[in-house]
Amino acid sequence: MSETKNVFVTILGRPNVGKSSLLNALVGEKIAAVSPKPQTTRTSIRGVLTKEETQYVFIDTPGRHQAKNKLGEHMMRAVDDSLKASEVALLVVDCTKKANEAEVALAKSLSKHTHTALILNKIDLYKNKSELMAKIEEYSALSEFDEVIPTSILLNDGIDLVMEYLNKNAEVGLHYFDDESITDQPEKVLMAEIIREKALLCLDDEIPHGIAVTIDSINERDTRSGEPIMDVEATLYCERESHKKIIIGKNGSMIKKISSDARIDLENFFQIKVNINVWIKVKEGWRNKEALIKNFGLS
């Protein structure tokens, strides 16, 4: 029997470049919330993939940005802590955009890291290959990367090349998670992230940054026909009464849509029928209150 191997991988980048999508693609399951809104990921999320003797532990991190509140400060600390805990760093960039200051600084900081690769996402949006090559050269100059890997995460193009790079850097060591695991996130955290993702997709731009979701209770039972069903009670927190009205929607239409969309994903993930109730509460300024940030599992 061959020796077991492991590799810990931190996925970094500015907001909205495809970090969470890459995590989900690598693991082969949707475990991280994905939306076109910035700062969708708020804390480090670990995905686990075990293939034969090698276990890959992927750490998705919040997008690098200038913190404007205590929640933002916690998010940036999560990035730094995750980087210290891994041997490999994947810097994901949107190759249709110019590198910003945060990306330049992040790339320079990776020069001290053991193994780093540049993941150029959204190459499918380039029809002119010479323009793509120019963009590759521009980003490659930011740091001395081991490899530069062009990808289209949306089309699952280049994911195999990322895995090849990670295989090169796997080292002999223990499997820290059960070989069947796909994440270290508790069930309630996964559920809360699914609900928050649907809220992000449904709500106006100014509201999602001020919402948090907690799972209050989970209860499995059998229906009268003997079919198993899971009852989920959740609370969605927002910062203003005016936001609460928008989240509820006319005659409850918005919260019904958020709940319905979340139910579909929950049923697909947990492979059981789900009955979900989402309640809405206002906690003004919670993103600057340490106790609430901790209570919501974001510290």
Side-chain angles (χ1 to χ4, degrees), residues 4-15:
T4 58
K5 297 180 179 181
N6 67 59
V7 58
F8 282 73
V9 184
T10 295
I11 303 172
L12 304 139
R14 72 201 249 186

Side-chain angles (χ1 to χ4, degrees), residues 115-132:
H115 303 292
T116 61
L118 177 66
I119 311 299
L120 283 153
N121 189 26
K122 305 186 183 180
I123 61 169
D124 55 298
L125 299 180
Y126 276 97
K127 304 303 178 188
N128 187 320
K129 295 303 178 184
S130 62
E131 291 182 4
L132 175 58

Side-chain angles (χ1 to χ4, degrees), residues 69-86:
N69 49 46
K70 290 187 181 298
L71 175 61
E73 292 171 5
H74 280 286
M75 290 165 67
M76 292 307 93
R77 279 200 293 274
V79 175
D80 295 335
D81 291 345
S82 298
L83 194 55
K84 293 173 185 176
S86 65

